[in-house]
Amino acid sequence: MPSLLPDHRTRGTLLHQAANTINAYLEHLAEWPVVPQFNNAELRRFLEAFEFETPQDNRQILAKVCQAMERWGIHTAHPRCFGLFNPTPAFPGVLADLLVAGYNPQAGAWHQNPFAVETERHLIRYFAKRFALGENAYGHFTSGGSEANTTGTLVALTRRFPDFPQHGLRGLKAQPVFYGSAEFHHSFDKIARQCGLGRSALRQIPVTDADVMDVDALAARIRQDRQAGFAPFMVVATAGTTNAGLVEPLTEIAAVAAQEGLHYHVDAAWGGGVILSDALRPLLAGIEAADSITFDPHKLLSVPMGAGMFLCRQHRWLGDTFGVDTDYVPDSDIDGLDNYRQSLQFSRRFIGLKLFMSLAVAGREAYGRQIERQFEQAQKLAEKLRTEGWHVVNGASMGVVCCVLPDLPENADPGTAYEAIASAVRQSGEAWISTTRLGGRPVIRACVTSYLCRENDLDVLVNALSRARRETLG
């Protein structure tokens, strides 16, 4: 159909139109309200006009879609989107996604696109070396942290129960259980169900007063489970908790996992990016003891969604877990580099190109300095909030600032009050923040995720919070 591949001139016109629109959007990004105001009925009316029976002009559709992207969605690329680890995309990564969409390489098997597979292998080796996982380490790119954490769980099950890939959970003599703190990422809640373990297999270990895993409680629960006839197989530590950006005691948790003979997985989806900074790298002390690591370049490294990474200490663990033989996929010339044989996915997008191009253009040191600046901005935000009477409860850890009001009225419910304040800030369009619970208590959460964030952006947020506080609480 000509509409699916227009002629050369029309393609050039459409690409030019799209490029100009995105370029203008990025140029004027800071002028947009972070949260556009609209109602959902308006959006649904817009979509209902597309009945898909009559073809429409490419240029008109492109213009309408661009307008819709700008009109109906939070502008996560905005320097005042202090949100859920959604950064301003690195422009080399934007170009990479365009190239990947246009060339449409298949990265599932080496023979289908050696450049894609070898490029990702090069990146995997690079980061495995930065994380000091050893000479036999390997891994692959994923859609995000959830897939990487699922991969880690399946690898851990296979290591502990070699017959698991063949016979599944029904072939095991005892119920497998695994451990994470109360501040773990909730992908593991889903993973327990996806893998057939059930939610009761996830042991949530209490946290200390510092809101990180209580290592003594971990060791005690493992002993208790063994005595009760359960089969522990994995411990998960978090390097950059979602709620507060905290790094759990990686070295101490590693020691417990080693003593108990358990697979040690570190979920560093957010915090893993500091591995590029010589100054911040010590925050991850102990991660070199991990058996496997989850790391999301689409977070601190600012490449476009979605780009996750799974790394593990031994290449063969992936083949043991995911290895398959097919009649319809030709054997590759280079053994061990077929992604479909060592991951959850078969057909796969060339995910790594956006990281490759961004790292190649910026360089590691510049990336590291940018992450350092983002963390410094979070420290400045914490100081400004303290000046306005807020109490920062997490020390502005890894770019995340969680705060409470020490002088809430006695009759005010903290959760309701903080959500009202955060909602008022969002409705103003000046910034985006959220609420969460840390150590069981409601808090307001802001995270410096954009490399475009400057001090005046912090001032806008603090002023918006102060105004919302006055209007909400009086």
Side-chain angles (χ1 to χ4, degrees):
M1 289 185 292
S3 57
L4 297 185
L5 186 63
D7 60 52
H8 179 274
R9 181 176 180 180
T10 303
R11 292 197 304 271
T13 299
L14 290 168
L15 286 168
H16 187 70
Q17 178 183 341
N20 280 347
T21 303
I22 292 172
N23 200 29
Y25 172 73
L26 294 175
E27 180 68 20
H28 299 285
L29 188 57
E31 301 167 18
W32 285 87
V34 184
V35 185
Q37 299 302 307
F38 69 93
N39 63 69
N40 203 41
E42 181 185 6
L43 169 56
R44 290 183 177 179
R45 284 195 299 271
F46 169 81
L47 292 172
E48 286 166 0
F50 295 88
E51 83 292 341
F52 305 123
E53 296 297 329
T54 306
Q56 299 187 40
D57 180 74
N58 252 314
R59 287 165 294 186
Q60 293 179 1
I61 294 296
L62 177 59
K64 289 179 180 178
V65 168
C66 289
Q67 291 168 7
M69 295 285 280
E70 296 171 357
R71 180 75 182 88
W72 288 300
I74 296 169
H75 295 295
T76 55
H78 199 290
R80 293 196 298 279
C81 184
F82 299 96
L84 302 174
F85 299 152
N86 296 316
T88 305
F91 194 69
V94 175
L95 294 177
D97 263 357
L98 172 63
L99 294 175
V100 169
Y103 285 102
N104 200 29
Q106 162 63 282
W110 183 90
H111 78 275
Q112 292 175 316
N113 200 290
F115 172 67
V117 175
E118 292 285 356
T119 298
E120 292 190 345
R121 174 185 177 275
H122 181 66
L123 288 164
I124 290 292
R125 294 291 192 193
Y126 176 81
F127 279 95
K129 186 175 181 180
R130 294 294 300 178
F131 283 113
L133 288 182
E135 292 299 317
N136 296 318
Y138 200 62
H140 54 258
F141 280 81
T142 67
S143 58
S146 293
E147 183 190 334
N149 285 335
T150 303
T151 300
T153 304
L154 291 170
V155 166
L157 279 167
T158 302
R159 287 192 67 205
R160 175 67 176 81
F161 311 105
D163 289 337
F164 168 72
Q166 181 67 26
H167 300 293
L169 296 177
R170 293 181 64 183
L172 306 183
K173 295 179 180 179
Q175 167 68 50
V177 292
F178 67 108
Y179 306 84
S181 80
E183 289 295 317
F184 79 126
H185 189 267
H186 283 79
S187 61
F188 285 103
D189 187 300
K190 290 186 175 184
I191 289 164
R193 287 176 271 175
Q194 288 173 321
C195 295
L197 292 163
R199 298 172 71 179
S200 63
L202 172 56
R203 306 305 205 223
Q204 287 186 247
I205 304 302
V207 295
T208 65
D209 291 342
D211 295 307
V212 295
M213 185 186 288
D214 185 326
V215 180
D216 291 336
L218 169 67
R221 185 59 195 269
I222 294 172
R223 290 194 299 269
Q224 177 186 337
D225 280 338
R226 288 196 192 282
Q227 293 169 0
F230 293 101
F233 71 94
M234 179 175 72
V235 176
V236 179
T238 308
T241 59
T242 303
N243 279 334
L246 300 168
V247 179
E248 297 193 308
L250 303 181
T251 301
E252 291 86 345
I253 297 172
V256 173
Q259 181 178 347
E260 296 291 340
L262 306 184
H263 184 94
Y264 181 37
H265 180 75
V266 177
D267 181 0
W270 170 247
V274 306
I275 206 69
L276 295 185
S277 163
D278 293 332
L280 298 175
R281 192 174 181 175
L283 292 173
L284 297 180
I287 200 168
E288 68 280 357
D291 292 309
S292 57
I293 296 171
T294 286
F295 165 48
D296 278 357
H298 68 219
K299 291 187 169 73
L300 263 182
L301 300 192
S302 300
V303 304
M305 295 284 182
M309 189 183 290
F310 174 78
L311 302 165
C312 65
R313 187 170 295 280
Q314 294 289 336
H315 192 161
R316 61 180 173 80
W317 294 347
L318 292 168
D320 291 345
T321 305
F322 301 106
V324 294
D325 291 315
T326 65
D327 294 327
Y328 47 84
V329 180
D331 291 335
S332 292
D333 295 331
I334 297 185
D335 186 47
L337 290 184
D338 284 337
N339 285 316
Y340 81 92
R341 295 178 185 270
Q342 54 189 3
S343 71
L344 283 164
Q345 300 185 40
F346 264 78
S347 298
R348 188 164 73 65
R349 183 179 177 85
F350 183 8
I351 301 170
L353 184 61
K354 48 193 158 190
L355 177 58
F356 177 84
M357 289 181 63
S358 299
L359 263 176
V361 169
R364 180 193 66 81
E365 290 187 2
Y367 248 119
R369 287 194 298 271
Q370 178 53 49
I371 294 169
E372 292 162 18
R373 282 194 291 270
Q374 285 178 227
F375 286 11
E376 289 167 3
Q377 293 288 66
Q379 294 290 342
K380 290 179 181 179
L381 175 59
E383 288 301 318
K384 291 175 184 291
L385 288 169
R386 291 187 186 104
T387 300
E388 290 294 310
W390 294 85
H391 175 52
V392 176
V393 297
N394 71 326
S397 178
M398 275 204 175
V400 183
V401 181
C402 294
C403 60
V404 297
L405 286 169
D407 57 350
L408 266 180
E410 290 184 6
N411 62 343
D413 173 70
T416 303
Y418 296 150
E419 181 52 40
I421 292 171
S423 178
V425 171
R426 293 193 295 264
Q427 289 175 15
S428 74
E430 294 180 280
W432 196 98
I433 56 171
S434 62
T435 60
T436 188
R437 298 182 73 85
L438 183 60
R441 56 190 168 182
V443 298
I444 287 180
R445 178 189 183 279
C447 180
V448 179
T449 62
S450 173
Y451 56 81
L452 298 178
C453 183
R454 300 293 182 264
E455 189 160 357
N456 67 296
D457 297 306
L458 306 179
D459 291 334
V460 170
L461 172 61
V462 172
N463 291 337
L465 276 167
S466 297
R467 185 169 60 253
R469 175 182 174 182
R470 288 194 302 270
E471 294 172 354
T472 303
L473 302 178

